[in-house]
Amino acid sequence: MRAVTWQGRHKISVETVPDPEIVNPRDAILRVTSTAICGSDLHLYDGFIPGMRAGDIVGHEFMGEVVEVGSGSTLKQGQRVVVPFTISCGSCFFCEKQQYSACDNSNPSETRDASELLMGHAMGAAFGYAHLTGGYAGGQAEYVRVPYSDVGPVIIPDDLPDDDVLFLSDILPTGWHAAVNADIEPGDTVAVWGCGPVGLFTIQSALLLGAGRVIAIDHFPARLRLAKQLGAEILDYTQVDVREALNEMTGGIGPDACIDCVGMESHGFTPDNILDQVKVQIYSVTERPHALRQAILACRKGGRVSIPGVYGGFADKFPLGQLMEKGLTVKSGQTPVQKYSGELLKMIQDGKFDTTSLVSHHAALEDAAEMYRHWHGEQNDYTKIILKPGLEKGAVQARKESEHADA
Amino acid sequence: MRMFTDRFAGRGKPDPFAIAVAGAGLAFAGMGYAFWRRRQKRGAEPERIATDAPHWTLDKRSARALFGKSVLVNRPREEVFAAWKVERFPEFMENVVAVEPLGGGSARWTIKGPARREVHLVNSITESIENETISWHSDAESEIANSGEVRFADAPAGRGTYVTLILAYDPPGGKLGRLGAKLLQREPEVQARRDLHRFKQLMETGEVTSNASPSARKSESPVEPHI
Ligand SMILES: NC(=O)c1ccc[n+]([C@@H]2O[C@H](COP(=O)([O-])OP(=O)(O)OC[C@H]3O[C@@H](n4cnc5c(N)ncnc54)[C@H](O)[C@@H]3O)[C@@H](O)[C@H]2O)c1
Ligand SMILES: [Zn+2]
Ligand SMILES: [Zn+2]
């Protein structure tokens, strides 16, 4: 089959590789119909995620049709399913507590050692995301093996098109979980850093969960425009001092909850971020947590900080005293996707979420290398890319110009 | 660019992170001083107190390698104890080639060792208490002298069972041999830890977890696990 592979920093290629096979009774094999590129893939692309190996098949946001099942799978051939990016057994202590992303069985014995060494405890597994999280092939491919297929995959009714439900795999539940983690009280002001796909779903979720207002921060006009369409007030951090603006918008107390939807590769020319950039270049520091630092300083006393943004290891100049003295509550983590699948599918059917206006491009799986380049270098125009294994090479469909042309 | 110059020139407010960056140099100087102070203070160690740490976690120097590892298995203790039996070992002990019962609680083990060698052990069970513990030690003919114990205890709050594997052995080739085996991933400690996790996977999920899946690496097969 054809599959998108990571070959090194800024090197993605589409290769012919062997087809996946059923290995364990609970497995299923899918024929992938849609698969998206994520902000998390950008961290892999930039070489910031430890434990990638040349030749790894990437992709953790995908859906498709069941083509083969093991004896222990509850799926049936021909069913359409969306697959959570977190691989979870459903029966360990963590899965029983619905902390699915912390599953203690999905990361195999062979790969969990390194993960345990780095994190203190082995992380749960994910598709297409480095050997610290299991070393499973990802779904940016024609076919994919899905372990524990009786637990994760969400069966999709025929009347729902791929684009409506694909994001149940990651960014929709991630935005929802980010907002849930912010413990929003009715009327709260919630600030969201980053208007990428995760930020955009966080904005929608925060409003659905009762926020009075959401203030979204980024610097790309097209992304800020999408945030505004979804009901947020917006701040371009190149135009204002973000903390001053947030204070002035909240009578001086700051937002009740601050959500970091940026992660380890913060943009911007502030002294701390410039120093982080230099360190990342010179020695193996992976974190550039400028947005998170700013969120902690901006948050009101006794407020909540929610961190869906991904970080890889030790961070420098972390405002720990500020966190403590202000009495902030922090919640974070990879999303326990399976916990939310059912309720979010229902909410999509009820029309609660706009799942499609953030999608800027549909392209062929064969064009993945070029799409990664665009996703990395042209974040204003490329707000979310969906790869289709069926499409002819070069058959790129961009969102209608009128919808996101600079006004 | 104008925007940034404006911002730096216009607003006189000191940024806490600019201050932190400047502070980094001071921190290094401070660290040197702290080390120097610690050296001066050495010598006056307080009396030691016996703690509740499991014995295999205490720092002790010994020629024998001692290793202990506990896992939480989310199944009832009786079920977990019943599954820990010789016939099922090959299901989760990856390096065990064969276990032949010799009668009277003794068995001959064939194990994969470093460098494609096979290692033979002859072990006898010294104590077995239903649902609690199984202990063994090696007989004279065993190629590696070893002893060990598996313990089964109720985990709190209905979480299942704590399974603890404690293993002591004379590393063949001493410390150096142990290091060599570790590098080859055939060291008993590495093997035991991984086997214990496979046992947990089998008990909780009904299968041994595998990441077997395709890659663009020619050396790998989509049906075999990889690191
Ligand atoms: N926790 C999880 O389970 C989970 C799941 C998916 C994604 N993620 C992570 O969430 C983060 C966002 O994902 P995405 O797909 O939206 O990525 P993205 O790269 O598309 O979006 C990040 C956005 O942040 C903006 N940004 C950068 N620096 C900023 C700053 N200083 N202030 C304000 N905005 C800034 C960028 O301009 C960009 O629009 C990533 O770190 C990703 O890895 C986490
Ligand atoms: Zn993702
Ligand atoms: Zn689990």
Side-chain angles (χ1 to χ4, degrees):
Chain A
M1 67 165 181
R2 300 286 284 167
V4 180
T5 67
W6 186 90
Q7 300 290 348
R9 185 165 180 259
H10 295 165
K11 271 190 241 146
I12 291 285
S13 65
V14 182
E15 304 286 343
T16 301
V17 301
D19 287 350
E21 292 180 35
I22 299 278
V23 181
N24 271 335
R26 294 170 64 185
D27 291 354
I29 306 284
L30 299 194
R31 183 179 63 77
V32 176
T33 53
S34 295
T35 169
I37 309 181
C38 177
S40 301
D41 294 325
L42 219 49
H43 304 321
L44 295 181
Y45 190 67
D46 285 332
F48 287 135
I49 302 296
M52 285 296 289
R53 291 175 61 201
D56 281 342
I57 298 173
V58 292
H60 60 268
E61 301 184 357
F62 58 91
M63 63 180 295
E65 184 196 324
V66 179
V67 291
E68 207 184 329
V69 291
S71 59
S73 174
T74 48
L75 295 178
K76 293 182 183 56
Q77 270 187 27
Q79 276 175 332
R80 275 173 75 223
V81 292
V82 177
V83 178
F85 78 96
T86 41
I87 304 176
S88 312
C89 78
S91 42
C92 68
F93 167 74
F94 299 95
C95 286
E96 273 193 359
K97 284 184 89 71
Q98 296 200 307
Q99 295 177 326
Y100 291 101
S101 47
C103 177
D104 220 6
N105 286 316
S106 54
N107 200 340
S109 300
E110 297 83 5
T111 50
R112 57 180 294 134
D113 288 355
S115 181
E116 208 170 310
L117 196 69
L118 185 68
M119 299 291 166
H121 293 98
M123 287 179 274
F127 289 97
Y129 216 71
H131 294 255
L132 291 173
T133 45
Y136 290 86
Q140 287 170 9
E142 288 182 285
Y143 296 93
V144 63
R145 169 186 166 231
V146 179
Y148 312 129
S149 64
D150 52 328
V151 175
V154 193
I155 298 163
I156 302 301
D158 285 339
D159 60 324
L160 286 173
D162 278 20
D163 282 11
D164 283 8
V165 291
L166 173 61
F167 301 139
L168 282 171
S169 56
D170 177 354
I171 52 173
L172 171 51
T174 294
W176 184 255
H177 185 60
V180 167
N181 273 351
D183 292 325
I184 296 168
E185 291 168 13
D188 270 358
T189 299
V190 177
V192 175
W193 274 256
C195 299
V198 169
L200 294 172
F201 278 118
T202 302
I203 293 166
Q204 299 188 56
S205 302
L207 290 169
L208 285 165
L209 287 167
R213 50 202 290 226
V214 174
I215 305 171
I217 305 145
D218 205 302
H219 63 124
F220 290 120
R223 291 178 175 223
L224 285 166
R225 191 167 301 115
L226 285 167
K228 185 146 201 142
Q229 274 172 28
L230 295 170
E233 295 165 52
I234 53 175
L235 293 179
D236 177 341
Y237 71 74
T238 64
Q239 295 174 6
V240 287
D241 179 316
V242 170
R243 285 199 284 128
E244 186 185 356
L246 289 173
N247 275 336
E248 293 309 311
M249 292 164 94
T250 54
I253 72 168
D256 302 289
C258 291
I259 309 183
D260 170 8
C261 300
V262 174
M264 69 204 298
E265 297 182 67
S266 229
H267 307 164
F269 294 92
T270 53
D272 64 313
N273 201 35
I274 291 167
L275 184 75
D276 287 338
Q277 297 255 18
V278 171
K279 283 190 297 194
V280 166
Q281 299 299 324
I282 299 175
Y283 52 98
S284 60
V285 177
T286 50
E287 317 304 312
R288 277 160 39 200
H290 167 68
L292 178 56
R293 292 185 184 121
Q294 192 169 61
I296 289 171
L297 265 84
C299 197
R300 77 154 162 85
K301 289 175 282 182
R304 287 90 56 186
V305 176
S306 161
I307 315 174
V310 163
Y311 292 90
F314 298 92
D316 209 356
K317 304 282 171 299
F318 187 77
L320 185 56
Q322 291 79 345
L323 180 87
M324 183 273 159
E325 296 294 348
K326 292 171 79 174
L328 304 181
T329 301
V330 179
K331 290 192 185 175
S332 186
Q334 296 287 351
T335 309
V337 179
Q338 290 86 340
K339 177 176 177 181
Y340 301 115
S341 299
E343 66 182 298
L344 292 176
L345 174 61
K346 177 86 184 25
M347 287 172 82
I348 291 174
Q349 286 173 308
D350 293 346
K352 294 272 201 307
F353 287 100
D354 174 353
T355 55
T356 49
S357 63
L358 80 162
V359 179
S360 58
H361 293 80
H362 289 84
L365 187 79
E366 290 294 330
D367 291 317
E370 201 189 322
M371 287 302 133
Y372 268 84
R373 265 197 305 281
H374 291 309
W375 180 234
H376 179 255
E378 295 154 64
Q379 290 210 316
N380 189 52
D381 298 323
Y382 288 75
T383 52
K384 190 74 183 175
I385 301 168
I386 297 179
L387 301 174
K388 305 285 274 185
L391 283 184
E392 252 340 79
K393 191 169 167 58
V396 179
Q397 297 163 359
R399 176 171 50 201
K400 274 197 257 80
E401 266 319 300
S402 60
E403 284 174 40
H404 85 151
D406 280 25
Chain B
M1 214 47 212
R2 192 188 53 85
M3 207 67 86
F4 308 126
T5 27
D6 271 6
R7 282 194 50 199
F8 286 133
R11 295 164 202 266
K13 237 179 4 180
D15 181 332
F17 294 109
I19 298 169
V21 168
L26 283 177
F28 275 111
M31 249 156 66
Y33 177 70
F35 271 115
W36 178 77
R37 279 292 296 263
R38 233 180 89 173
R39 293 200 133 203
Q40 308 292 307
K41 277 196 190 158
R42 276 265 168 93
E45 295 234 350
E47 180 196 344
R48 303 191 120 210
I49 186 167
T51 72
D52 298 313
H55 72 85
W56 59 93
T57 64
L58 293 171
D59 295 331
K60 269 184 302 208
R61 281 176 205 281
S62 151
R64 280 205 125 184
L66 174 71
F67 152 79
K69 175 80 186 170
S70 301
V71 294
L72 170 64
V73 178
N74 188 13
R75 305 298 310 167
R77 184 150 57 106
E78 296 69 33
E79 188 184 326
V80 178
F81 183 87
W84 190 276
K85 53 181 179 212
V86 170
E87 303 87 83
R88 293 197 68 175
F89 286 175
E91 284 179 60
F92 61 91
M93 293 190 179
E94 199 218 3
N95 294 281
V96 172
V97 179
V99 189
E100 310 153 48
L102 303 173
S106 298
R108 174 188 299 279
W109 295 60
T110 307
I111 291 175
K112 287 184 213 158
R116 289 171 181 269
R117 226 167 56 90
E118 284 191 347
V119 179
H120 299 277
L121 307 178
V122 182
N123 290 346
S124 300
I125 290 176
T126 50
E127 189 181 30
S128 175
I129 304 174
E130 174 103 11
N131 299 333
E132 279 179 31
T133 175
I134 304 169
S135 315
W136 71 88
H137 70 60
S138 56
D139 298 353
E141 64 217 87
S142 191
E143 284 174 27
I144 300 177
N146 73 93
S147 60
E149 183 186 353
V150 196
R151 293 183 187 173
F152 304 84
D154 284 335
R159 292 180 183 189
T161 310
Y162 288 157
V163 180
T164 302
L165 176 66
I166 306 156
L167 188 63
Y169 63 98
D170 293 332
K175 280 225 173 83
L176 216 61
R178 191 178 176 196
L179 185 72
K182 203 170 209 159
L183 292 175
L184 295 163
Q185 316 254 359
R186 289 272 184 245
E187 209 238 358
E189 182 176 330
V190 177
Q191 294 179 15
R193 186 176 62 224
R194 292 185 178 172
D195 289 347
L196 203 55
H197 276 291
R198 288 189 196 95
F199 177 67
K200 171 183 161 72
Q201 291 157 7
L202 197 60
M203 292 306 298
E204 293 184 343
T205 75
E207 53 190 44
V208 171
T209 305
S210 171
N211 62 9
S213 45
S215 78
R217 292 179 290 272
K218 296 275 178 299
S219 59
E220 288 177 6
S221 130
V223 292
E224 276 165 28
H226 48 256
I227 294 198

